[in-house]
Amino acid sequence: MLSQNIPPTFFPRVILTTVLLMSALLLVRGLRKREPVRDRVPGIVYLTGVVIGAGLVVLNPLGIYVLIFLMCSLLPILWGERRYNRVLIFAVLTPSLIYLLFDLLLGLRLPPGLLESIL
């Protein structure tokens, strides 16, 4: 089936449709249940959303690899991680592996931003 002239947009659309259907199912199931009001959402949830939203704003000028490095550095520290050496290893390895996988192995160019002249 996969080798019979299926366009490259087919698989992402299948994934997106599946995620949308499963999300709708979760929403319907959640609306059916009437549970007591739970504790308030911690403020760190909103702060995390702000940090991720700010990351999306600066994606084009910084580029995906710098942004992933920053997110992998900031979010664990924001969530309370204090083993900075592990955070640094995580923040360096994650964008490096993403570069190796997507850019070198798959040939998919992600927005390099600041690193455009280097990469």
Side-chain angles (χ1 to χ4, degrees), residues 33 50 57 59 67 77 81 93 101-102 107:
K33 292 183 181 180
V50 168
V57 170
L59 172 62
L67 181 63
I77 292 170
E81 181 59 57
L93 281 180
L101 175 66
F102 286 99

Side-chain angles (χ1 to χ4, degrees), residues 41-54 71 74-75 78-79:
V41 177
I44 193 71
V45 174
Y46 299 112
L47 188 56
T48 300
V50 168
V51 169
I52 292 173
M71 289 295 166
L74 292 174
L75 289 176
L78 181 68
W79 296 333

Side-chain angles (χ1 to χ4, degrees), residues 1 7 15 20 27 33 37 40 48 68 72-73 79 83 85 87 89-90 93 101 108 118:
M1 177 184 136
I15 297 294
L20 286 173
L27 182 64
K33 292 183 181 180
V37 177
R40 297 182 65 187
T48 300
I68 292 172
C72 289
S73 301
W79 296 333
R83 295 174 289 184
N85 56 348
V87 171
I89 292 169
F90 173 65
L93 281 180
L101 175 66
L108 179 67
I118 298 171

Side-chain angles (χ1 to χ4, degrees), residues 7 11 15 18 20-21 24-25 28 32 40 55 61 64-65 69 71 84-85 90 93-94 112:
F11 186 68
I15 297 294
T18 303
L20 286 173
L21 290 174
L25 178 66
V28 169
R32 285 186 187 173
R40 297 182 65 187
I64 191 72
Y65 303 113
F69 173 79
M71 289 295 166
Y84 299 115
N85 56 348
F90 173 65
L93 281 180
T94 302

